[in-house]
Amino acid sequence: SFPFSGSKPAENTTEEETLNPITPLLASASVERGQAIAKKCTQCHTFEKGAPHRTGPNLWGIIGAKVAHAADFAYSSSFKDKGGAWDDEKLNILLHKPRAFASATKMSFVGLKDGQERADVIAYLHTLSDTPVPLPTSAPPLPDSSVPPSK
């Protein structure tokens, strides 16, 4: 497991509060279940290509997009300051506890505690693109323990 931010505890978290990687759960993720679970997000988000923003931004093409990527959406400073691109693990953190990911977010959603539900939503988000990013097929390989780490 790893801390919320990936390398250090996020704001409002403790050292003990960790979240397991989502990649192993993506192997059994269901796009259909993810789409059904994501219906609770439609009060604030749209998912269709070219659809307008609501309280939250449109999520078409989110996988691989820069965090706070929509130029015509007023993101909170918490999102603007994140940097990087949306990947499965960043989405896992956000979907688990939005305020742990971005403390000043306007999102009132408390998050999805169930890891498989988060994996299902992430699998669904992978389909929202003209050129969908494939789901990982397995966890990243562990480093070869017979080779000493480089310094």
Side-chain angles (χ1 to χ4, degrees):
S1 63
F2 58 93
F4 282 113
S5 67
S7 61
K8 62 182 180 180
E11 295 174 34
N12 304 323
T13 66
T14 64
E15 288 291 336
E16 296 79 36
E17 192 169 20
T18 59
L19 188 61
N20 291 325
I22 200 69
T23 302
L25 295 175
L26 290 173
S28 59
S30 162
V31 169
E32 294 76 21
R33 284 190 314 253
Q35 185 173 17
I37 295 163
K39 286 187 191 300
K40 60 179 81 174
C41 308
T42 59
Q43 183 174 346
C44 296
H45 293 280
T46 55
F47 295 88
E48 302 79 19
K49 182 178 183 177
H53 303 302
R54 292 187 177 153
T55 304
N58 174 285
L59 298 177
W60 176 267
I62 195 73
I63 302 290
K66 184 178 134 192
V67 174
H69 68 284
D72 59 343
F73 184 78
Y75 292 96
S76 68
S77 60
S78 291
F79 278 96
K80 288 179 188 174
D81 296 343
K82 279 292 173 189
W86 286 113
D87 60 22
D88 300 329
E89 294 306 336
K90 274 189 181 159
L91 286 165
N92 182 39
I93 297 165
L94 176 72
L95 291 170
H96 178 256
K97 239 184 210 183
R99 291 200 185 273
F101 181 81
S103 62
T105 182
K106 297 177 216 166
M107 281 180 75
S108 59
F109 183 62
V110 296
L112 296 171
K113 301 305 172 214
D114 183 86
Q116 192 59 59
E117 286 187 359
R118 292 191 307 275
D120 293 342
V121 170
I122 292 168
Y124 169 59
L125 293 175
H126 270 263
T127 69
L128 303 180
S129 174
D130 290 328
T131 55
V133 176
L135 286 170
T137 54
S138 64
L142 296 173
D144 184 347
S145 60
S146 64
V147 178
S150 58
K151 294 188 180 190

